[in-house]
Amino acid sequence: MCGIVGYIGSRQAQSILTGGLRRLEYRGYDSAGIVTLSENGDATLLRAKGKVAELSSLTSKNSKVDGLGIGHTRWATHGAPSELNAHPHQAGDVYIVHNGIIENYKELKEEVSGHEFKSETDTEVLAALINSLYDSDTKLEDAVTQALQLTVGTYGVAVVSTRETGKIVVARQGSPLIIGVGSDEVLVASDASALIGHTTEAIYLNDGELAVCTANNVELRDMASQPISAKVEKIEVDMQAIQKQGYDHFLLKEIMEQPSTLRSTLNGRVIPEQHRAQLGGLNMTTDELRTVEHVVIIGCGTAYYAGLLAAYNLERLVEDLTIEVQVASEFRYRSFHLPKNSVALVVSQSGETADTLACLREIKRRGVKTLGVVNAVGSTIAREVDGGVYVHAGPEISVASTKAFTSQVAAMTIFGLQLAQAKGIGLKELDAYIEELAVLPDEIERILATKNDELKEVAETYATYEHALFLGRDTLFPVALEGALKLKEISYIQAEGYATGELKHGPIALIDDRFFEVMLIQDNWLFDKSLSGLAEVNARGGHVLAITDTQKEVDAETVVRIDTTLDLLAPLVMNVIQQLLAYHIAVIKGNDVDQPRNLAKSVTVE
Ligand code: G6P
């Protein structure tokens, strides 16, 4: 979704801003813009619909040496993607970039006079409001503070003025903002990846905070203009992790790096020699863990499906546990009741998803313990939970989530192990999970090495279909949902995931030559039942692509066999096959694999 960058220092702001915006491209956007200011207040505003590359061609024709500027990638909420709706927005001397949504923009628009609106955005209303409060004796930070006090909604903003060319004012309410502190320069960004390569020191702004940034100083204050002391933290992401490293797409790189990212998730947490698992950051004593009777798992998109899959593992590990898995955008508005002794697992790759964050806050407000299952270090969810586990999958750049899913499921399973240990549950089930987790990275590594070419070929057959049905039973049901999501996200083939047992309750009516069916079949106690589902699809002339770990006969149009020693965690390996399938189909169709149309990586608005 929208991204913000800002720069003040002695280097050329234009190139730092466009470089930063390029790093934020992965978040998904439809237009981009920057404004830079010279010391005497001449503004150069450049905006373009489409990619940052379009903007860069404008900056090369209008190159400026200015050392101050702000930039933005926009994901349309109010008003279509267009140059006029792109940020920065201007009103008088004020230029602003904004992430989030100003909910009362219509009322505010009626109150500001004397500004001729050029865009359809809520952000331009905020610019006009700030400008109307910015008279000749007022400092920019005071006008911004007054305007934000009148604002209802969410924002991360960066504001500059042609009258005060030595500063950038930034503020946050619900949309992340990070201030990178360099030597004699300061960068601001909505995402740490835009700061990498410039500085490793950063101040993470909290909600309700505003900062006045000059090249040598950052001054923090609250919305009552009271000073706050700033905490400078280290940014831990390195440059390598955010580059394609020879792969055609980030998505393929992220699929391929799952063995190593998963090893990072497991490192020091799963100890097979001692038959145990441990998580450092839960901030819960063994006694507290022992009393947990109910777990609610919250997430959106792939994180939600990771929760659905992990729930099967948790309930197998801990008998007296009840588990519910909830989509955050629904749960936040329900009259939900969490029993005593509940714990909430808040699952999010980015740690910034607005609905997930809202659930976290509501659950916390009710006094229930919250634990994060988060990938992005230092993100808002990670900072607000009571404890939790970083999944350590490294930066995930491609919009469609792959490696984060695998690591989220593994991390939640380790949580289940920890819970089981605290409750004194027998070693047998525990050991089976511990042993499988320990070898999972090697198993995925082997499958990736041997199956990629096969999936490339299989994709040729199925790329021409208009619709797909993904079917699985038990732990393969959430995997089917995730497989369908991956395919629709990047190939734009309409895809539905169903529990195989539900086939007769509706989806079987869909089967015709426009459909192919991905059937996930595990050679376990449900094998025969899965085969019955397969027979039913075949009998209706289905085009089945079976993904299975059996070496027995499977009567399907195409069979992709995985050879694995895994049982409990085999679904995670089957999911890797689905990731490759979706990837190769999207490539064949010529789609923008890493930045699929209309999607955003980090959904920071409702
Ligand atoms: C967006 C992304 C998905 C992701 C979901 C939840 O829809 O495109 O890939 O699964 O948000 O994001 P989160 O960062 O909370 O895991």
Side-chain angles (χ1 to χ4, degrees):
M1 258 180 186
C2 304
I4 288 177
V5 285
Y7 176 78
I8 181 163
S10 53
R11 293 191 282 158
Q12 191 200 19
Q14 274 185 340
S15 73
I16 292 174
L17 295 177
T18 47
L21 292 179
R22 230 171 271 126
R23 298 265 185 75
L24 300 181
E25 284 192 296
Y26 76 96
R27 296 168 62 93
Y29 70 104
D30 45 54
S31 51
I34 58 173
V35 66
T36 57
L37 302 182
S38 71
E39 275 170 26
N40 58 13
D42 294 329
T44 306
L45 174 67
L46 302 169
R47 297 180 295 182
K49 187 180 164 191
K51 299 283 178 191
V52 175
E54 318 286 330
L55 179 66
S56 296
S57 69
L58 294 180
T59 56
S60 51
K61 284 182 221 135
N62 297 276
S63 174
K64 299 282 167 182
V65 291
D66 308 340
L68 168 74
I70 52 176
H72 192 259
T73 45
R74 173 174 185 257
W75 189 87
T77 55
H78 296 80
S82 69
E83 188 187 325
L84 277 185
N85 285 334
H87 302 207
H89 288 288
Q90 180 209 355
D93 297 324
V94 172
Y95 288 83
I96 184 171
V97 292
H98 162 227
N99 286 356
I101 293 181
I102 307 299
E103 288 168 17
N104 61 338
Y105 80 103
K106 284 193 180 136
E107 295 93 79
L108 293 174
K109 196 170 182 175
E110 277 165 24
E111 278 168 34
V112 288
S113 55
H115 177 75
E116 194 187 316
F117 285 93
K118 297 170 206 76
S119 77
E120 302 155 83
T121 65
D122 51 340
T123 305
E124 192 181 357
V125 177
L126 187 54
L129 181 64
I130 296 169
N131 189 50
S132 70
L133 298 162
Y134 187 38
D135 53 41
S136 51
D137 325 316
T138 309
K139 286 187 183 163
L140 181 62
E141 53 271 34
D142 296 326
V144 172
T145 306
Q146 287 170 38
L148 293 178
Q149 281 164 346
L150 301 170
T151 300
V152 178
T154 55
Y155 53 78
V157 289
V159 190
V160 292
S161 157
T162 53
R163 247 162 55 200
E164 295 176 73
T165 55
K167 65 170 80 150
I168 305 177
V169 175
V170 294
R172 163 185 175 146
Q173 182 63 48
S175 272
L177 259 180
I178 307 165
I179 302 166
V181 187
S183 85
D184 292 332
E185 61 181 14
V186 163
L187 289 100
V188 297
S190 53
D191 182 323
S193 57
L195 305 179
I196 296 162
H198 297 298
T199 177
T200 53
E201 314 260 282
I203 300 164
Y204 289 82
L205 226 56
N206 293 310
D207 279 352
E209 290 180 358
L210 175 143
V212 184
C213 309
T214 61
N216 309 301
N217 191 35
V218 177
E219 208 183 283
L220 243 60
R221 50 197 242 183
D222 63 18
M223 281 297 147
S225 300
Q226 294 305 307
I228 301 172
S229 58
K231 190 172 146 219
V232 180
E233 298 178 40
K234 276 254 170 280
I235 306 174
E236 281 167 6
V237 183
D238 68 32
M239 198 71 138
Q240 280 278 350
I242 57 165
Q243 287 168 348
K244 280 192 199 151
Q245 294 174 8
Y247 287 100
D248 288 344
H249 299 99
F250 279 108
L251 189 71
L252 185 59
K253 177 198 164 211
E254 286 158 11
I255 292 172
M256 290 298 180
E257 70 188 3
Q258 287 177 102
S260 73
T261 52
L262 189 54
R263 282 185 192 112
S264 305
T265 311
L266 302 175
N267 193 14
R269 292 165 166 176
V270 174
I271 312 154
E273 314 79 57
Q274 296 173 19
H275 310 280
R276 70 185 182 91
Q278 62 179 19
L279 287 172
L282 295 184
N283 297 335
M284 288 178 81
T285 62
T286 305
D287 279 346
E288 283 172 324
L289 283 169
R290 192 175 299 130
T291 56
V292 173
E293 288 169 6
H294 181 80
V295 173
V296 56
I297 305 179
I298 312 283
C300 298
T302 290
Y304 167 65
Y305 292 147
L308 282 181
L309 176 51
Y312 283 81
N313 296 343
L314 260 68
E315 66 195 10
R316 272 175 197 154
L317 280 163
V318 190
E319 272 169 20
D320 67 350
L321 202 64
T322 59
I323 305 181
E324 56 180 318
V325 189
Q326 298 285 349
V327 172
S329 56
E330 283 298 311
F331 196 60
R332 63 181 291 189
Y333 293 117
R334 280 178 47 190
S335 318
F336 62 83
H337 304 286
L338 292 176
K340 264 206 304 197
N341 300 330
S342 290
V343 160
L345 293 185
V346 183
V347 192
S348 176
Q349 187 288 124
S350 63
E352 302 294 350
T353 302
D355 286 318
T356 313
L357 181 59
C359 282
L360 159 64
R361 288 178 177 162
E362 179 55 27
I363 292 170
K364 260 185 103 168
R365 199 184 62 76
R366 294 173 186 220
V368 172
K369 186 101 179 167
T370 56
L371 298 176
V373 181
V374 173
N375 191 33
V377 177
S379 56
T380 310
I381 292 175
R383 298 156 76 80
E384 292 196 14
V385 284
D386 299 310
V389 36
Y390 275 124
V391 304
H392 292 317
E396 196 179 61
I397 305 293
S398 190
V399 167
S401 184
T402 51
K403 60 177 182 171
F405 175 86
T406 309
S407 287
Q408 285 160 348
V409 176
M412 282 185 269
T413 306
I414 303 172
F415 170 73
L417 286 164
Q418 183 114 11
L419 211 53
Q421 281 165 194
K423 285 172 181 277
I425 288 164
L427 269 182
K428 208 167 143 270
E429 271 295 83
L430 251 67
D431 247 1
Y433 275 102
I434 289 173
E435 280 164 19
E436 292 208 13
L437 278 169
V439 298
L440 183 62
D442 295 348
E443 290 283 299
I444 292 181
E445 193 156 38
R446 205 167 40 75
I447 298 297
L448 284 169
T450 52
K451 289 286 161 184
N452 189 31
D453 290 344
E454 181 181 341
L455 264 299
K456 207 167 166 179
E457 251 175 61
V458 169
E460 293 285 349
T461 310
Y462 294 99
T464 53
Y465 284 85
E466 292 166 47
H467 311 281
L469 208 52
F470 284 69
L471 299 160
R473 300 192 80 104
D474 193 63
T475 41
L476 290 173
F477 168 42
V479 173
L481 294 171
E482 171 59 13
L485 178 64
K486 221 45 42 195
L487 188 70
K488 77 181 95 166
E489 280 178 316
I490 60 174
S491 78
Y492 316 142
I493 292 175
Q494 189 248 330
E496 301 295 336
Y498 264 95
T500 311
E502 281 289 290
L503 193 56
K504 290 195 268 305
H505 301 292
I508 202 162
L510 295 171
I511 294 171
D512 65 18
D513 285 338
R514 295 169 304 161
F515 268 83
F516 73 99
E517 299 80 24
V518 175
M519 297 204 70
L520 303 167
I521 302 173
Q522 204 176 343
D523 195 350
N524 59 11
W525 82 105
L526 288 168
F527 185 58
D528 291 339
K529 291 192 191 298
S530 299
L531 288 189
S532 309
L534 170 62
E536 285 160 16
V537 177
N538 281 340
R540 270 101 196 153
H543 300 278
V544 177
L545 161 58
I547 300 174
T548 182
D549 61 351
T550 190
Q551 302 310 318
K552 297 172 195 152
E553 198 187 325
V554 171
D555 178 20
E557 188 178 274
T558 306
V559 182
V560 173
R561 288 184 198 276
I562 56 162
D563 176 16
T564 177
T565 56
L566 298 172
D567 171 28
L568 298 163
L569 301 182
L572 283 173
V573 183
M574 295 205 187
N575 186 52
V576 168
I577 300 284
Q578 295 185 140
Q579 293 170 347
L580 289 172
L581 176 73
Y583 170 72
H584 289 299
I585 290 181
V587 171
I588 291 164
K589 296 189 80 173
N591 294 350
D592 188 344
V593 174
D594 286 330
Q595 291 164 36
R597 67 186 184 202
N598 306 337
L599 294 181
K601 180 75 183 157
S602 181
V603 180
T604 48
V605 295
E606 257 194 272

